[in-house]
Amino acid sequence: MVATPIGNLGDMTARAAQTLRDADVIACEDTRVTGGLKLHFGITTPLTPYHDHNADQVRPGLLARIAEGGAVALVSDAGTPLISDPGYKLVRACADMGHAVFPIPGPSAMLAAAVTAGIATDRILFAGFLPNRAKARQDAIAELRGLAATLIFYESAQRLAETLADLNAVLGARDAAVCRELTKLHEEVRRGALNDLAAAYADAPTPKGEVVIVVAGAPKVEAEVSAGDVDTALRQAMQKLSLRDAAALVAEQLNQPRRAIYSRALELAKDK
Ligand code: SAM
C-alpha cells in the first residue's frame, strides 16, 4: 500500500519510489496518472488498472500473482490508497489468504489538512466524502453533531459552497478551515467560523482544485451528574478532608467544574 504525493512530487518518499521499482506490478486507479509518476521517477514496472469499476474482476488475478510469489504495489491517483480510495477489499483478501501486506506511508490530504487547520488534533473523525444529495448530506452531518472530535471532510471545489452552508446550518458557527490545493502552487488555507466561510464562498466564484474541510468538534460535555450525587460525594469527602480538598476531589471524580462544586460544599458546610 504505497502512498504517493498529493500534488508536490517532492513529497514522494524514497521508500515509495523504491517499492514501486521493485514491485512486479503496480495496481493503480488511472494508468495515465500513475504513468506520469513512473516517468518522473524513472520507474519501469508495468501498470494494471484497479479502480471502483473493475476491482472485483481484477482482484483474483492480483491475488493469484501474489500467491505465486509476486509483489503487487497498490497506489491511488494521489495520496494514500484506501483513504476514500479503493484497496481495503484487496488488503482483506490478502490477510484472509495469509499474504503479507506492508504500508509504505506518505502523503494524505486528510493529514495534511489536519496539521494545517489550526484546530484540535487530539481526537479526529475522518468523515470522507459527504453524500451528494442535500437531504442525505444534511442527515450525515447531523449524525456527527454531538461528537467531541475534529471532523475532516473531503469535498470537490464545485460543491464547497453548498457543503459549507449545510455544515453551518446543522453544526452552527464552529471554527473551521478550508484547505485547498495543499502542497501545490496555489495552496490556500482559509480559517474562520463556519458561517463566515459559508458566506464568503457563497459570494465567490467557484474555486479551482481539491479541497479538504476541517471543522471543530462539539464541545466536550461534562458528565451528567445529579445534585444528589454531588451532595453524597461531598458529604463523604468532607468527613475526611478539608472543604477545599473535598471539593477538589469531588470535582475531579465526577468531572464537574471546581468552582460550582466548591460553592455547593460551602452551602453544605453552612447547613451543618
Ligand atoms: N487517498 C487520497 C488521500 O490520501 O489524500 C484522497 C483521495 S480522494 C478520492 C480525493 C480528495 O482528497 C479530493 O476530493 C480532496 O478532497 C482531497 N485532496 C486530494 N489532494 C488534495 C490537495 N492537494 N489539497 C486538498 N485536498 C486534496
Side-chain angles (χ1 to χ4, degrees):
M1 306 299 127
V2 183
T4 59
I6 57 168
N8 189 325
L9 290 175
D11 293 336
M12 182 82 165
T13 69
R15 189 165 172 237
Q18 194 57 46
T19 303
L20 296 185
R21 272 186 208 108
D22 292 346
D24 295 300
V25 63
I26 301 171
C28 63
E29 286 186 279
D30 183 331
T31 52
R32 284 163 307 177
V33 173
T34 305
L37 191 77
K38 272 178 51 173
L39 204 63
H40 185 87
F41 289 98
I43 295 164
T44 54
T45 312
L47 300 177
T48 190
Y50 185 85
H51 48 68
D52 282 338
H53 307 292
N54 75 353
D56 289 343
Q57 288 82 53
V58 173
R59 198 176 309 115
L62 293 177
L63 292 166
R65 191 105 189 230
I66 298 169
E68 289 160 9
V72 175
L74 180 75
V75 298
S76 55
D77 282 352
T80 300
L82 282 83
I83 305 301
S84 290
D85 270 333
Y88 98 87
K89 287 183 181 167
L90 182 61
V91 171
R92 168 65 77 85
C94 284
D96 288 348
M97 296 172 75
H99 302 317
V101 179
F102 303 102
I104 312 295
S108 182
M110 57 164 289
L111 279 178
V115 300
T116 324
I119 293 173
T121 49
D122 55 337
R123 292 183 87 204
I124 292 176
L125 184 120
F126 172 59
F129 288 97
L130 285 163
N132 277 327
R133 288 162 177 247
K135 171 79 171 72
R137 188 167 60 231
Q138 288 152 12
D139 289 349
I141 299 169
E143 273 180 33
L144 305 171
R145 189 164 36 205
L147 219 62
T150 294
L151 308 173
I152 300 188
F153 302 94
Y154 282 167
E155 191 48 284
S156 76
Q158 289 72 29
R159 258 197 357 203
L160 175 62
E162 231 177 298
T163 297
L164 285 171
D166 283 343
L167 286 167
N168 180 48
V170 180
L171 302 178
R174 296 186 187 177
D175 278 348
V178 174
C179 306
R180 193 170 66 83
E181 294 287 85
L182 294 173
T183 78
K184 301 186 197 176
L185 187 62
H186 299 292
E187 176 171 303
E188 179 192 46
V189 178
R190 285 175 80 167
R191 303 178 183 86
L194 270 176
N195 56 338
D196 292 335
L197 289 171
Y201 281 99
D203 290 343
T206 303
K208 291 202 169 59
E210 302 196 273
V211 179
V212 181
I213 306 171
V214 183
V215 182
K220 286 199 180 98
V221 280
E222 274 147 7
E224 264 194 35
V225 176
S226 73
D229 292 340
V230 171
D231 287 1
T232 308
L234 275 176
R235 284 198 183 96
Q236 274 175 11
M238 283 159 65
Q239 284 172 10
K240 290 174 263 162
L241 299 171
S242 71
L243 193 141
R244 187 174 294 277
D245 288 348
L249 178 75
V250 170
E252 169 87 32
Q253 281 174 339
L254 300 182
N255 191 23
Q256 297 297 300
R258 264 180 186 231
R259 194 184 289 264
I261 299 296
Y262 184 65
S263 316
R264 182 61 191 152
L266 284 173
E267 284 169 14
L268 291 180
K270 264 194 233 144
D271 289 350
K272 255 190 177 176

